[in-house]
Amino acid sequence: MTEASQIDRRSGVPLYLQIKQILATEIEAEGAGAGAMTEQTLTERFHVSRATVRQALHELVQDGLVYRERSKGTFPVQRMDFERPATLQVGGLVGYLADLGMNPSSEVSDVHRAVPPREVADGLGLEAEETVLIFTRRIFANGQPLSLARVYLRSPSDFLPTPTELESAGSAIELLERAHGVRVARSEHRVWASAASAQEASALAIAEGDPVLVLETVMRTREGRPVIWRRLADHADTIKHTFISDI
Amino acid sequence: MTEASQIDRRSGVPLYLQIKQILATEIEAEGAGAGAMTEQTLTERFHVSRATVRQALHELVQDGLVYRERSKGTFPVQRMDFERPATLQVGGLVGYLADLGMNPSSEVSDVHRAVPPREVADGLGLEAEETVLIFTRRIFANGQPLSLARVYLRSPSDFLPTPTELESAGSAIELLERAHGVRVARSEHRVWASAASAQEASALAIAEGDPVLVLETVMRTREGRPVIWRRLADHADTIKHTFISDI
DNA sequence: CAGTGGTCTAGACCACGTA
DNA sequence: ACGTGGTCTAGACCACTGT
C-alpha cells in the first residue's frame, strides 16, 4: 500500500494537494512510525519540484500534522486523538449531538426584523435604523434544553425566512450562504460564566441564578464585514466548547 | 511616508518579512483606504520576485489582515479593533490585568511533585508512577481573587522550583522554557460553566454553588508531546476569555 | 481581451546541526 | 563535509473575472 500512493497529473487536482493528502493518510495510518520526510526524498518520490513539496508540507504544518526542524527534517506530530471540534464548528452542535446518539432537536422562535440593541448594533457596525433578522433558537438533547441562542443576522431588509426554514437549515450561516452567497470566514468569541437570568432559566429548565456559560460571537466575511452577532447561554457541565490555539 | 518604506537587502531580515511588515503598517495606518495590492505592483515596487511577494501576502492572509480574490486582487480586511487576545495568551492574564490598571497579583501555593490524578495522567500520556510538578495559583485584581488554577507540569523529576520562582516567572510556560528549553506550540482547550465546589468557592471568595467558568487546557510541544495540564476556575462575569476561529 | 491570483518548474545561495 | 530546511530568482501555463 505504501508504494501504491502516487499522484495523478491528469486529474486536475493540484499536485501539492494530492501529495498533502497522501502524506496525511500515511501519517494517520503509521502514526509516529512514519519516519522523517525530507524535501529531497519527496521530490524524488513524487517527481515534482521542491516548491511543490514545500507547499504540501507547509499546509501539513498549518494543519498540525507535522513539524519541521531546520537541518533535521520534517516529522509527524505525535498522535493526538482527533476530537470533533464540537461546538466551535459554528452551528454544528446539532450534528455533533446526533453523532453522540443524543437525539437532538432544534426549535426556532420569535423570528422578526428589528433594530437590534445598541451593543449588537455596535458589534455589527450597523447604520442607524438598520434592521437585522432576529430569532431565538433552543437546542435539545433527549428532550432536555441545553442551549439557548439569540441570533442577530445582518441581511437585506426583505430577508425574512420562516422558523421552519431556519430549523431545517441547521444553522443561520448555512441559510445566509444559500440565500445570499455570503460566506463566514472568521469569528471572534468571548466566553464567560454567569448566573442564569429568569428568562434564561426558564428557557433552559433550570433555576434562576444557576450557572450558565455565555458565549458571544461575531462572525465576519473574509472582507471583515460582520454579519452575525450571536449570544449563547449553555447548560452548565453539559455543553463543553473545545478549541485549539497556537502558542 | 508612504514611499519612504523600502526594503533593505543588507539587513539580513528576510525580504518577505520586511515586505509583510511594511504592508501591515500601511494597512494599519490607512485602514481600508489602502486600495488593492496586486502581486505585480508589489514586485515592481520592492524589486523582488513574485514568489517573495506571494510569501508576504500569504502570511498577511494567515494573520487575517488581507484577503485575496482570484482574478480580482488582494484587499485589506475591514478594520477590526485589535483586542488583546486576553487570557488565551496562556499565562498572560496578569499582564493583561496590569494593562487595565487592575493592580493584579499572583499567589502560588502547594508546590510539590506527585503522581497526578488519572484524568491528568491520561491527558499527559504519562507512564505509570511518573510524577509531575503540581501547584496551585490564584490571581487577584484589586485584592479580589478572580482565577484559581491547578497546574500539572511534566518535567524532570529533579525540577522543583520554589513558589517565589513560579510567581516571578509569570507563567509556568515561561519557567519551563527557561529551565529546560521546552517550547509550547499548541494548546487544546475545553470550556464550560459549573457550580463552584466548596474548595473553589473558598479560593474565589464566593458561595458554594455560585457559577464559575471551568477551562481545561493541555499544552503541547511542536512534537505533539503534552507537557502541561491545567484547570482554571474563573470568577463569573469578570474573567472573559476571547479567541478567534477561522470558518 | 487584459489582468488577476493559483500552480508549477529548475535552478541558486544560505544558516544551521550532525557526524 | 554533508544534508537539512529557509530564502530567493526568473521564468511558465492556467482558470477565472471584468471590460
Side-chain angles (χ1 to χ4, degrees):
Chain A
M1 172 182 294
T2 38
E3 37 221 317
S5 303
Q6 287 300 326
I7 58 181
D8 176 6
R9 295 188 103 97
R10 294 167 308 171
S11 68
V13 178
L15 305 185
Y16 77 91
L17 282 182
Q18 297 185 49
I19 294 171
K20 176 188 173 186
Q21 180 57 49
I22 290 171
L23 295 178
T25 303
E26 291 180 358
I27 290 169
E28 183 87 7
E30 308 175 31
M37 303 166 283
T38 71
E39 294 180 356
Q40 187 174 354
T41 59
L42 293 174
T43 58
E44 289 164 1
R45 170 178 169 190
F46 293 112
H47 307 291
V48 296
S49 73
R50 190 183 164 208
T52 303
V53 164
R54 280 180 63 80
Q55 185 163 3
L57 291 178
H58 190 257
E59 294 216 356
L60 289 173
V61 170
Q62 298 292 115
D63 294 353
L65 290 178
V66 305
Y67 67 98
R68 317 193 67 187
E69 242 174 316
R70 200 191 187 98
S71 52
K72 291 187 180 174
T74 300
F75 309 90
V77 166
Q78 192 174 322
R79 173 133 203 76
M80 41 175 144
D81 319 309
F82 252 66
E83 307 166 3
R84 276 286 285 277
T87 48
L88 277 202
Q89 287 292 65
V90 268
L93 179 56
V94 170
Y96 177 68
L97 292 170
D99 287 356
L100 296 179
M102 303 279 285
N103 190 26
S105 61
S106 167
E107 170 211 276
V108 172
S109 61
D110 191 24
V111 183
H112 65 289
R113 294 195 65 92
V115 174
R118 171 74 186 281
E119 179 190 15
V120 176
D122 286 351
L124 290 177
L126 299 183
E127 312 289 331
E129 309 292 322
E130 185 175 346
T131 65
V132 296
L133 180 71
I134 306 177
F135 64 91
T136 299
R137 162 177 247 143
R138 281 197 296 170
I139 290 177
F140 300 78
N142 296 328
Q144 295 295 315
L146 293 185
S147 179
L148 169 69
R150 186 74 166 166
V151 181
Y152 301 84
L153 201 158
R154 191 177 199 170
S155 52
S157 57
D158 60 350
F159 182 60
L160 187 56
T162 67
T164 309
E165 286 176 307
L166 283 168
E167 272 166 26
S168 63
S171 81
I173 305 157
E174 294 176 24
L175 193 67
L176 191 62
E177 177 170 355
R178 281 213 305 271
H180 298 101
V182 174
R183 292 252 306 175
V184 170
R186 200 182 185 85
S187 303
E188 302 139 33
H189 310 266
R190 285 205 307 163
V191 62
W192 67 94
S194 191
S197 67
Q199 201 176 18
E200 290 163 345
S202 165
L204 293 175
I206 58 178
E208 189 175 345
D210 278 358
V212 291
L213 185 81
V214 179
L215 176 63
E216 279 183 4
T217 302
V218 176
M219 306 182 203
R220 299 172 182 269
T221 64
R222 62 180 170 178
E223 295 90 353
R225 186 163 169 275
V227 287
I228 297 180
W229 193 99
R230 183 190 66 176
R231 180 192 167 107
L232 295 183
D234 285 350
H235 193 275
D237 298 306
T238 307
I239 302 277
K240 301 185 179 184
H241 295 263
T242 73
F243 52 96
I244 292 177
S245 65
D246 294 333
I247 308 178
Chain B
M1 174 183 290
T2 38
E3 36 222 318
S5 303
Q6 287 300 327
I7 59 181
D8 178 4
R9 295 187 103 95
R10 295 167 307 172
S11 68
V13 179
L15 304 184
Y16 76 91
L17 282 182
Q18 297 185 49
I19 295 171
K20 176 188 173 187
Q21 178 59 48
I22 291 170
L23 295 179
T25 302
E26 290 180 359
I27 291 169
E28 183 87 8
E30 307 175 33
M37 303 166 282
T38 71
E39 294 180 355
Q40 187 174 353
T41 59
L42 293 174
T43 58
E44 289 163 1
R45 170 177 171 192
F46 293 114
H47 306 292
V48 296
S49 72
R50 188 180 166 211
T52 303
V53 164
R54 281 180 62 79
Q55 184 163 3
L57 290 178
H58 189 258
E59 295 217 355
L60 289 173
V61 170
Q62 297 292 113
D63 294 354
L65 291 178
V66 304
Y67 68 98
R68 317 193 67 189
E69 240 174 317
R70 202 191 187 101
S71 53
K72 292 190 178 171
T74 300
F75 309 91
V77 166
Q78 193 175 321
R79 174 132 203 77
M80 43 175 144
D81 318 309
F82 249 68
E83 308 166 2
R84 276 285 285 277
T87 48
L88 277 201
Q89 287 290 64
V90 269
L93 180 55
V94 171
Y96 177 68
L97 292 171
D99 287 356
L100 296 179
M102 302 279 286
N103 190 27
S105 60
S106 168
E107 169 212 276
V108 172
S109 61
D110 191 25
V111 183
H112 65 289
R113 293 196 65 92
V115 175
R118 172 72 186 283
E119 180 190 14
V120 177
D122 286 351
L124 290 176
L126 300 183
E127 311 288 333
E129 310 291 323
E130 186 175 344
T131 65
V132 296
L133 179 72
I134 306 176
F135 64 90
T136 299
R137 159 177 249 143
R138 280 198 296 170
I139 290 176
F140 300 79
N142 296 328
Q144 294 295 315
L146 292 184
S147 179
L148 169 69
R150 185 74 167 166
V151 182
Y152 302 83
L153 201 159
R154 192 178 198 170
S155 53
S157 56
D158 61 350
F159 182 61
L160 189 56
T162 67
T164 309
E165 286 176 306
L166 283 168
E167 274 167 26
S168 63
S171 82
I173 304 157
E174 295 176 24
L175 193 67
L176 191 62
E177 177 170 355
R178 282 213 304 273
H180 298 100
V182 174
R183 292 254 304 176
V184 170
R186 200 182 185 85
S187 303
E188 300 138 36
H189 310 264
R190 285 205 307 163
V191 63
W192 66 95
S194 190
S197 67
Q199 202 177 18
E200 290 164 346
S202 165
L204 293 175
I206 58 178
E208 190 174 347
D210 279 357
V212 291
L213 185 82
V214 179
L215 176 64
E216 279 182 5
T217 302
V218 176
M219 306 183 203
R220 299 172 182 268
T221 64
R222 62 180 171 179
E223 294 89 353
R225 185 163 170 275
V227 288
I228 296 180
W229 193 100
R230 183 189 67 172
R231 181 192 168 106
L232 295 183
D234 283 350
H235 192 276
D237 298 305
T238 309
I239 302 277
K240 302 185 179 185
H241 295 265
T242 73
F243 53 97
I244 293 177
S245 65
D246 294 332
I247 306 177

